[in-house]
Amino acid sequence: MKGEVPAKGTSPFFLIIIKFGTFFTHFEMILLYPEPYLSYFWCRIKRNRTNIMKTTIKYICTGLSLCACTCLVNNLPAQAETTNTAAVSATETGWDRQSIMEVARRVADWQIKDYPENKYAKSEPRGWIAGALYMGMFDWAELSGDNTYYDWLRKIFNRQSWQVANRMYHADDVCIAQTYIDFYNKEKNENMLKPTIARADWVLNNPSNGSMDLDYSKGSTIERWTWCDALFMAPGVYTLTGNRKYMHFADSEFRATYNHLYDKDEDLFYRDSRYIGQKEANGKKVFWGRGNGWVIGGLAEILKTLPAEDTEFRPFYLELYKEMSERLAGLQGKDGYWHASLLDPASYPSPETSATGFIVYGLAYGINQGYLPADKYLPVVKKGWEALTRAVEANGKLGWVQPVGADPKKVTRDMTELYGTGAFLMAASEIYKLADK
């Protein structure tokens, strides 16, 4: 502020703010980094003991002045924040196709720019974390009609030789194959599909007899779909092929997970068997937001790939989808988000955009297909989408994404992950079809 002169006509209130600007800065620094300031004060006291009382009174008075000014100033940022939020809602979160395309493009472009430096993109480009992103990016490429996004994906997949990840049975390690199959269906290049079919055939010919009780110390327990996330990662790989033998395998494994982890009283999935019987701080059962987001998103993917005329598998998945949709719609927070804990949001009050993204995607898909009545679910989806767009920074970074985990955890705005972007783009692809309704 040095050298600046207040404009003519500036209100006395703002002159007070300018006058005390330096005090605010030091007051904030004392709160953030108390140790050096306390050390400084102690040294001053030791060197000049005769002025202890004078120094103490000086800082007490200064502190009281700062607190008084802070109370006055706090009213202004609150008003400014409200105004800015309203402006963003009007321009960026509008329920129209142009706004949806604009925010989705920003999110996709930011993620592509950040991808080379992402630790999971570097270490596990064929893993589930990146795999969920690829699914969303393919949906976005299809929606935008921009071949740039197809080219970006194809370049990554060519470098990986269209291979799935290394663990033979692990559901997470075939998630990427869902986008391989999408590419194959688009371009009919057999090389895109061969490694996926080879893995699927091996698993079918060498079925695991591992326990359905997840125990990371026992490798055989991750050979089955023993955690609810797996219901997003793997079933679509088998149903996308259209081959009935693969469908029978996927159906058998899915139902084993359903029978073990689905709570029919709550219409929700436990993340894995370790959480059965556990309680949240409020005494409710532990149901993870993103875990159930994975499931509702996975059910949408299964319903997409099962033939419309199918009567062997479709009725079960459609009924489960509707059941979970109703339950999840009722658990949406007042802020539009679904939180890390579905039944104890008070313990995890911050937004969580990966859960919200997958749930919005799943519900929007159902409205578009006529599985869910629009008059009941469209307000829920609109509110969820508006919440998601509020979590997007100006540069396109999606925040409030819970890091890799297995249960509810605290989330902050700066947190982001590849699968969060994937969920956002999948949601955008379905929201676009609902726009202007």
Side-chain angles (χ1 to χ4, degrees), residues 81-94 99 106 386 389-392:
E81 184 177 5
T82 301
T83 303
N84 289 340
T85 301
V88 170
S89 297
T91 59
E92 295 185 7
T93 67
S99 296
R106 274 197 291 128
E386 289 167 0
T389 57
R390 291 198 303 272
V392 178

Side-chain angles (χ1 to χ4, degrees), residues 186-404:
K186 176 180 181 291
E187 301 183 1
K188 303 303 181 185
N189 183 338
E190 293 286 345
N191 292 326
M192 297 174 173
L193 198 58
K194 287 178 180 178
T196 296
I197 296 300
R199 174 64 59 84
D201 284 340
W202 189 92
V203 172
L204 262 67
N205 293 330
N206 300 275
S208 172
N209 60 358
S211 169
M212 290 300 295
D213 289 316
L214 180 62
D215 181 347
Y216 284 114
S217 68
K218 299 177 181 178
S220 63
T221 68
I222 57 173
E223 293 176 353
R224 308 287 301 282
W225 299 349
T226 51
W227 65 107
C228 71
D229 321 25
L231 302 183
F232 177 91
M233 309 299 170
V237 176
Y238 296 93
T239 58
L240 270 166
T241 63
N243 188 313
R244 302 298 284 185
K245 72 175 182 178
Y246 297 140
M247 290 184 185
H248 278 286
F249 170 79
D251 182 61
S252 175
E253 289 297 289
F254 191 109
R255 287 175 186 263
T257 307
Y258 168 83
N259 291 333
H260 204 59
L261 300 181
Y262 189 65
D263 187 314
K264 294 182 179 179
D265 293 328
E266 297 289 353
D267 294 337
L268 296 169
F269 277 83
Y270 291 101
R271 196 275 177 174
D272 60 65
S273 60
R274 297 172 301 167
Y275 295 93
I276 298 174
Q278 291 193 31
K279 303 292 183 181
E280 294 282 15
N282 65 356
K284 299 291 183 67
K285 298 173 184 177
V286 179
F287 291 109
W288 184 32
R290 185 164 71 237
N292 282 273
W294 286 124
V295 178
I296 198 70
L299 285 168
E301 292 299 308
I302 291 170
L303 291 170
K304 276 184 179 181
T305 56
L306 287 172
E309 66 278 6
D310 174 75
T311 57
E312 184 178 3
F313 305 112
R314 177 173 283 276
F316 167 76
Y317 293 102
L318 184 56
E319 180 60 29
L320 178 59
Y321 167 81
K322 290 179 178 179
E323 201 171 81
M324 285 194 70
S325 293
E326 183 170 7
R327 181 63 166 134
L328 289 169
L331 294 173
Q332 185 180 37
K334 292 181 180 179
D335 56 3
Y337 295 100
W338 282 265
H339 295 264
S341 173
L342 291 176
L343 300 190
D344 189 13
S347 293
Y348 304 91
S350 57
E352 207 292 279
T353 53
S354 59
T356 301
F358 284 120
I359 294 170
V360 167
Y361 164 66
L363 297 181
Y365 167 77
I367 299 171
N368 281 323
Q369 296 300 312
Y371 302 147
L372 303 177
D375 59 343
K376 180 178 180 179
Y377 288 93
L378 190 57
V380 175
V381 168
K382 281 187 175 182
K383 190 175 180 180
W385 176 249
E386 289 167 0
L388 283 170
T389 57
R390 291 198 303 272
V392 178
E393 303 288 353
N395 64 1
K397 176 184 175 181
L398 176 69
W400 297 110
V401 181
Q402 185 185 339
V404 175

